[in-house]
Amino acid sequence: MMTEFPVSYEYQIGGSLPVDASSYVTRQADLDFYESLNAGEFCYVLNSRQMGKSSLRVRAMQRLQAEGTVCAFIDLTGIGKEDVNPEKWYAGIVNSLVSSCQLGNKINWRSWWRERRDLFSPLQRFSLFIEEVILVEIPQNIVIFVDEIDRVLSMNFSTDEFFALIRWFYNQRVDNPLYGRLTFALLGVATPSDLIADKTQTPFNIGKAINLGGFTINEVQPLIDGWQGQVGNAESIISEIIDWTGGQPFLTQKLCKLVLDDVLERISRNRQDACSTTDRQDVEQLVQLRIVENWESQDEPEHLKTIRDRILRNQQKAGQLLGLYQQILQREIGADGSREQTELRLSGLVVQQQGKLKVYNRIYAEVFSLEWVDKQLAKLRPYAENFNAWTTANFEDDSRLLRGNALQEALEWAKNQNLSPLDYRFLAAAQDWEKREVKLAFALQAEESQILAQANETLSLAQHQAKTELMLAKKQARRIIAIGSTILALSLAAAIAIQLQVVKADRSLAETQIILESVSSKTTLASNPFAAMLEALIAADKLKKLEAFSPPKSDTKMQVSIALQQAIYNIRERDRLSGHQASVKNVVFSPDGKILASASEDDTIKLWNPDGTLIRTLSGHGDNVWNVSFSPDGKTIASASGDGTIKIWNLANGKEIRTLTGHKGPVRAVCFAPDGLTIVSSGSDGTVKLWNLADVSRAGTEAGAGTGAGAG
């Protein structure tokens, strides 16, 4: 008889497991994390989503608190990022510390925070709070857990100093014993190099990395206990599940629950043999029907879509990541620690084992298959239609190869991509084809001088022959006219014949002139493409008029056609400035005309040389940049943004000098006065404001507060 299923047992699919969760699987990472923190080591658990980081943190906190350590928890997701500035962000962290450490009855932290506002920056106040409050009011060891640290990567201000301060706390242990009681644990989807992006600062190089791997077959007894005899061949079934999931915690818990639900459904249909008939084929069927097939509609809670979105969220990086993953699907590749490989690992899709990268598990390999990769790459390729037609034609249809600007744009796009071998083959074939056309053009140019000489000689002979024939015709005409009326009919016939000779000579002369104009067009092409185009069009127009009477010679038509094709092919764009990820709202030259500045809806300003070379990108606004203006001396730039601010930038190093706030909505335009000491701005709030910048001592130093005057 079947054992009744315990109501209290529940598999956890997504989210943190409660401290007393019966389905919690203890891993080696649990012991490593606890022992390291208990020894006072700074630790970080950086891994992909849904690997059990939060549950690991909950268990470690429970063990540490049971032994007298005070544990504080800061969830950066709860602090938020919309409309959050450094003042609010650090205040939110202090609030979390007060709440976690139960210091609300000992200190009014809001008053403490406000009293020091005029003296210290938010970062300095946070540092003082640790030293003057946390380390004073709490005599025990303290571990501060900071979860979801990847949230800082999308903040509208730099948080490099926050992690630099954590490193400073660690280094203070040498000089101040109080800091020996303070330990930090960082958890999230990031790498240590992400935490301090500013390359001029010392990287985040402290602490111990905790390796959070998947479940092993020796660790999953709690999952087997959840079946409580309802699932037959439990050891064999759990082995099959691990074979499919690779021990990935979310998928393993989910598949264990699917197996249990399937068995209970059989029992409810009075199939008493359900336990004995559970086998590996049942697991495979559940994987296919409940996870793999139509996975986007069945992915609840979201797991597979989270992986997909992390790979495809950045279009520029997506091609590179897909190309790398495509190679891993085809064969295991060596791990080199590159940023692209790290990004792919953080998605959870691949794992490093014995120095090699491979797909994490069989489920991922079936969902994110080579066919899926090909479809995604086809969506990303700017040349997808030509590429697909070329491959369909077994690489033999040269008419599908890119040419001219289309090829140059594709090559520029490919610079930042890690493409498939077929992509590189396609682009190489297109380059080879264009080189052959260039060589042909050079060969034609080499022949042009000879053709021109021959054409001049032909023209000279034709002109001489035409003049001779015309003189003879006129003499014959005069003779015929003198014969008299008695032989009028014969005279008329002769006159017509002579006239035809004259027309023939004139037509020959006209065709020769058309050939000369076509040759001249090809000669002019290198120095003046537009003049060459005009000459080719004139020659084509004359040819069309000749065709109205009778077909011209095939050689004449060929010369005109070649001249037109070469002229049209060589009319190309001079320069194109590409780099913005959204619409460009404004562009302006510097006073000396040597630099271009462009403002864009991608929240950035870009500085360019006139030849199209990108000098640098200015980032800092939290919304569309609508307008940009150079100061009269060309040393500073002012930018107006939808985030309601005006920013002043140092042109020499691209650093922000200061931010002017006062408008109650988007700032649409900004302009320097001729003296360079006043700025005028207009906003969607219906005001025009004048800002006095006289207190800015020099570019690159922090300015005093601007003064604003509003006018409706």
Side-chain angles (χ1 to χ4, degrees), residues 90 94 97 107 112-113 115-117 119-136 165 168-169 179:
Y90 282 104
V94 170
L97 288 176
I107 183 174
W112 186 97
W113 188 259
E115 289 167 1
R116 291 158 179 77
R117 180 176 296 169
L119 298 175
F120 302 104
S121 70
L123 177 77
Q124 290 171 326
R125 275 176 277 162
F126 170 60
S127 178
L128 284 174
F129 189 82
I130 294 293
E131 182 176 347
E132 296 180 357
V133 178
I134 297 295
L135 292 176
V136 171
L165 179 63
W168 183 83
F169 288 148
Y179 285 91

Side-chain angles (χ1 to χ4, degrees), residues 41-44 163-171 184 186 192 195 202-209:
E41 289 192 65
F42 282 37
C43 296
Y44 51 86
F163 295 104
L165 179 63
I166 292 177
R167 187 181 57 220
W168 183 83
F169 288 148
Y170 179 84
N171 293 333
F184 276 83
L186 309 180
L195 304 185
T202 304
F204 191 84
N205 53 4
I206 62 168
K208 178 179 179 179

Side-chain angles (χ1 to χ4, degrees), residues 70-227:
V70 173
C71 295
F73 174 50
I74 300 171
D75 185 349
L76 296 184
T77 303
I79 297 176
K81 64 178 182 177
E82 297 297 331
D83 299 323
V84 174
N85 55 27
E87 178 74 21
K88 294 179 180 178
W89 195 71
Y90 282 104
I93 291 176
V94 170
N95 179 48
S96 296
L97 288 176
V98 171
S99 177
S100 295
C101 298
Q102 299 179 354
L103 295 175
N105 296 328
K106 296 183 179 182
I107 183 174
N108 185 333
W109 75 267
R110 290 180 176 82
S111 298
W112 186 97
W113 188 259
R114 285 193 299 267
E115 289 167 1
R116 291 158 179 77
R117 180 176 296 169
D118 295 335
L119 298 175
F120 302 104
S121 70
L123 177 77
Q124 290 171 326
R125 275 176 277 162
F126 170 60
S127 178
L128 284 174
F129 189 82
I130 294 293
E131 182 176 347
E132 296 180 357
V133 178
I134 297 295
L135 292 176
V136 171
E137 296 294 338
I138 301 175
Q140 305 99 308
N141 290 337
I142 308 154
V143 178
I144 298 177
F145 294 84
V146 186
D147 203 356
E148 302 290 348
I149 61 167
D150 45 296
R151 296 282 292 183
V152 305
L153 304 181
S154 57
M155 300 294 288
N156 56 13
F157 60 89
S158 174
T159 55
D160 286 1
E161 291 181 336
F162 173 71
F163 295 104
L165 179 63
I166 292 177
R167 187 181 57 220
W168 183 83
F169 288 148
Y170 179 84
N171 293 333
Q172 280 295 103
R173 292 177 167 188
V174 176
D175 301 314
N176 190 340
L178 280 176
Y179 285 91
R181 295 192 288 107
L182 178 65
T183 302
F184 276 83
L186 309 180
L187 304 95
V189 185
T191 66
S193 61
D194 290 330
L195 304 185
I196 298 181
D198 186 354
K199 302 308 177 186
T200 63
Q201 293 197 44
T202 304
F204 191 84
N205 53 4
I206 62 168
K208 178 179 179 179
I210 302 300
N211 180 27
L212 188 60
F215 299 158
T216 67
I217 195 67
N218 297 323
E219 297 170 340
V220 292
Q221 187 59 45
L223 302 180
I224 297 176
D225 292 342
W227 291 335

Side-chain angles (χ1 to χ4, degrees), residues 413-452:
W413 172 83
K415 285 181 181 179
N416 299 319
Q417 313 298 327
N418 192 339
L419 305 177
S420 69
L422 272 183
D423 282 271
Y424 289 121
R425 181 177 174 182
F426 174 75
L427 294 174
Q431 289 176 287
D432 289 342
W433 180 262
E434 187 162 80
K435 287 177 183 177
R436 289 197 297 272
E437 288 191 334
V438 170
K439 288 181 180 178
L440 177 61
F442 278 122
L444 290 173
Q445 288 179 357
E447 295 176 4
E448 282 178 359
S449 57
Q450 182 180 355
I451 295 173
L452 183 59

Side-chain angles (χ1 to χ4, degrees), residues 445 448 517-537 563-564 566-572:
Q445 288 179 357
E448 282 178 359
E517 289 175 348
S518 299
V519 172
S520 175
S521 169
K522 291 184 280 185
T523 305
T524 309
L525 187 61
S527 59
N528 193 336
F530 288 97
M533 171 70 82
L534 182 59
E535 290 178 347
L537 289 172
L564 273 174
Q566 291 187 351
I568 291 171
Y569 180 75
N570 281 274
I571 296 297
R572 295 186 179 180

